[in-house]
C-alpha cells in the first residue's frame, strides 16, 4: 500500500467522507487539493500536506481530525515535512497573516499569537496550498467566488511573487469570471 493510500484510508477512518464540504465531502475536497498540487508540479510532501491540510482544523474550517498539540501521529503518517506544512496551515491566523505574507513571509499562529517567518522553500508551498484550497472551494461553491472574488483576486495577485506560476495562472483563470 502506498503512503497516499494509507493516508486516504486514515482520512476515511476519521469520517471525512461524511463531512459536508463544497463539492461534496471533506474527503473529496482533500483529494482534489492533493491532485491539483500534483498537477502544479509539487512533490509528495506538499501533495500529502494538501491531502491532510485540515487535520488540525483551519482558520476557515474548525473541524479537527487530530489534536494539534499531539503532532506525532500525523508526522508518522505523512512525514515530518508534510506535517510541518499542515500544522502551519492549520495554525495560520489568516486575517493577521495573509495581507502581508508575500512581503514578510510571516505567519501568525491563531492560537498562540506566535509569529514565524517562513523560509522561501516553505513559503512557496504554503502559499500554493492556501491558493489551491481556496480555488477548489470557489470552483465548487460559486457563492464564495461571487462574495470574495475581489478579495482573492487582489490577494492572489499580491502572492504571485511567491506562488508557483501554474497556481497563479489558474487563480487568474478561475477568478476572471467571478464578479
Amino acid at each position: 500500500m502506498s503512503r497516499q493510500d494509507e493516508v486516504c484510508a486514515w482520512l476515511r477512518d476519521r469520517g471525512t467522507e461524511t463531512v459536508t464540504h463544497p463539492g461534496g465531502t471533506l474527503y473529496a475536497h482533500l483529494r482534489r487539493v492533493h491532485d491539483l498540487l500534483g498537477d502544479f508540479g509539487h512533490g509528495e510532501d506538499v501533495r500529502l500536506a494538501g491531502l491532510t491540510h485540515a487535520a488540525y482544523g483551519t482558520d476557515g474550517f474548525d473541524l479537527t481530525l487530530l489534536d494539534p498539540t499531539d503532532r506525532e501521529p500525523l508526522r508518522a503518517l505523512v512525514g515530518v515535512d508534510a506535517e510541518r506544512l499542515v500544522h502551519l496551515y492549520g495554525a495560520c491566523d489568516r486575517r493577521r497573516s495573509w495581507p502581508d505574507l508575500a512581503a514578510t513571509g510571516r505567519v501568525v499562529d491563531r492560537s498562540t499569537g506566535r509569529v514565524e517567518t517562513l523560509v522561501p522553500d516553505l513559503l512557496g508551498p504554503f502559499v500554493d496550498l492556501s491558493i489551491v484550497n481556496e480555488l477548489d472551494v470557489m470552483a465548487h461553491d460559486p457563492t464564495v467566488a461571487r462574495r470574495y472574488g475581489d478579495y482573492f483576486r487582489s490577494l492572489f495577485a499580491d502572492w504571485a511573487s511567491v506562488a508557483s506560476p501554474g497556481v497563479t495562472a489558474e487563480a487568474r483563470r478561475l477568478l476572471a469570471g467571478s464578479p
Side-chain angles (χ1 to χ4, degrees):
M1 181 181 289
S2 73
R3 185 173 261 191
Q4 178 185 338
D5 291 339
E6 290 175 23
V7 173
C8 288
W10 181 86
L11 289 167
R12 287 190 303 273
D13 286 347
R14 273 146 191 80
T16 58
E17 291 178 306
T18 65
V19 177
T20 302
H21 196 279
T25 66
L26 177 59
Y27 180 78
H29 166 70
L30 296 170
R31 291 294 306 260
R32 289 190 305 266
V33 169
H34 168 275
D35 294 347
L36 284 168
L37 288 166
D39 291 347
F40 294 120
H42 284 287
E44 183 181 42
D45 287 338
V46 176
R47 290 191 325 267
L48 289 175
L51 191 56
T52 58
H53 73 268
Y56 300 129
T58 73
D59 197 358
F61 196 74
D62 286 335
L63 177 77
T64 60
L65 305 176
L66 283 174
D67 179 348
T69 63
D70 183 15
R71 296 172 61 183
E72 190 52 39
L74 191 59
R75 282 183 188 140
L77 184 65
V78 299
V80 172
D81 292 337
E83 187 279 335
R84 181 161 191 256
L85 186 55
V86 171
H87 188 266
L88 182 65
Y89 186 81
C92 178
D93 181 323
R94 295 174 180 183
R95 184 184 57 77
R96 294 191 291 169
S97 302
W98 281 8
D100 300 318
L101 183 62
T104 66
R106 289 187 307 217
V107 174
V108 179
D109 186 301
R110 64 190 172 107
S111 298
T112 67
R114 184 176 159 262
V115 177
E116 181 175 351
T117 301
L118 306 184
V119 298
D121 287 348
L122 187 55
L123 179 59
F126 178 80
V127 166
D128 279 3
L129 171 57
S130 299
I131 293 172
V132 166
N133 175 68
E134 297 303 331
L135 291 179
D136 182 71
V137 170
M138 287 186 279
H140 291 90
D141 185 350
T143 61
V144 173
R146 283 192 298 276
R147 185 170 181 190
Y148 299 107
D150 287 340
Y151 168 74
F152 283 122
R153 258 190 299 283
S154 175
L155 181 67
F156 297 164
D158 288 346
W159 287 0
S161 64
V162 294
S164 62
V167 170
T168 297
E170 182 63 11
R172 286 183 184 133
R173 185 193 70 75
L174 183 66
L175 289 168
S178 67

